[in-house]
Amino acid sequence: MDDKEIIDLFFERDENAIRETMNSYNGRLLRFAMRFLSDSRDAEECVNDAYARAWDTIPPNRPDNLFAYLASLCRNSALDVIKKNTAQKRSAQLVELTQEMNECIPDSSSITDDRSDELAECINGYLATLPRNKRAVFIGRYWYNEKISDIAKRTGFSQSKVKIMLYRMREELRNYIERKEGSL
């Protein structure tokens, strides 16, 4: 089944929607969740949570890209598991990624829901300006939580080139956000 047919099943509240979604995306979602979690049982739980959340949110949502929608739900669930499992000690990788992204966001201490939506639009706008290879590096690091060494292997770039690219893109993103905020 294609995504449109599966989404139609969700709108019809047909329980086959979950089965068809699992047939289409279970393996990819498990691999995605394992990028965040080291325990396969936690990863399976996150994927199952994503299916349950999809059931609860489709409708009213009608995602354009079902896998991206499910991956977003799965990622949020994985981050919740990480927070729960590391309440006393934070995941070093997530702290590092958060610090890197905070460098890009002017006055990140005053982020409200409305400002969060504006920032998301700015980030998406910035990503649209990037060539495909740079966008893949940025998304790999900050969305898929990939290690720099894994990005380097996947893209064929050296690790130092990936680090420099990420640094420059964070600087460009910061400037892009500042220009957009100045024009609002």
Side-chain angles (χ1 to χ4, degrees):
M1 280 190 131
D2 68 16
D3 285 1
K4 184 188 176 316
E5 293 171 320
I6 294 171
I7 291 169
D8 288 343
L9 290 176
F10 276 102
F11 269 81
E12 294 166 8
R13 306 312 288 164
D14 185 333
E15 292 179 9
N16 289 321
I18 299 296
R19 185 175 46 85
E20 292 297 333
T21 303
M22 290 175 75
N23 289 342
S24 296
Y25 296 115
N26 205 60
R28 284 175 67 189
L29 287 172
L30 281 171
R31 285 189 300 279
F32 179 76
M34 285 300 293
R35 290 184 182 203
F36 297 91
L37 306 165
S38 56
D39 185 340
S40 61
R41 289 173 299 184
D42 284 343
E44 287 177 26
E45 186 176 326
C46 288
V47 171
N48 289 332
D49 285 349
Y51 296 143
R53 289 180 183 176
W55 182 260
D56 291 340
T57 59
I58 305 174
N61 296 325
R62 185 178 281 277
D64 293 328
N65 182 323
L66 185 57
F67 177 75
Y69 187 79
L70 293 168
S72 176
L73 296 173
C74 186
R75 180 178 188 268
N76 291 340
S77 182
L79 294 175
D80 289 344
V81 168
I82 290 169
K83 285 178 193 171
K84 183 179 84 178
N85 289 347
T86 59
Q88 295 300 320
K89 59 177 192 171
R90 297 285 311 266
S91 167
Q93 173 126 7
L94 284 177
V95 169
E96 179 184 348
L97 292 176
T98 301
Q99 288 173 339
E100 288 176 13
M101 286 307 293
N102 280 342
E103 292 173 10
C104 305
I105 302 169
D107 192 20
S108 61
S109 63
S110 66
I111 296 179
T112 62
D113 285 344
D114 290 339
R115 183 146 188 264
S116 177
D117 291 342
E118 290 172 13
L119 283 172
E121 286 180 33
C122 280
I123 292 170
N124 287 333
Y126 169 72
L127 290 174
T129 69
L130 294 176
R132 185 179 206 158
N133 64 340
K134 285 186 174 182
R135 188 171 46 240
V137 168
F138 189 94
I139 290 171
R141 180 71 172 159
Y142 299 114
W143 172 255
Y144 289 106
N145 198 32
E146 283 185 299
K147 295 177 185 172
I148 288 174
S149 60
D150 293 339
I151 294 170
K153 285 178 193 170
R154 180 175 48 81
T155 60
F157 297 138
S158 69
Q159 288 187 40
S160 61
K161 178 169 176 122
V162 171
K163 288 177 187 177
I164 290 169
M165 287 174 72
L166 289 167
Y167 173 78
R168 288 180 179 160
M169 285 187 284
R170 287 192 309 269
E171 290 296 311
E172 291 170 0
L173 176 58
R174 181 178 180 81
N175 292 332
Y176 185 90
I177 291 171
E178 286 173 345
R179 281 194 315 273
K180 288 293 182 180
E181 286 182 337
S183 68
L184 295 174

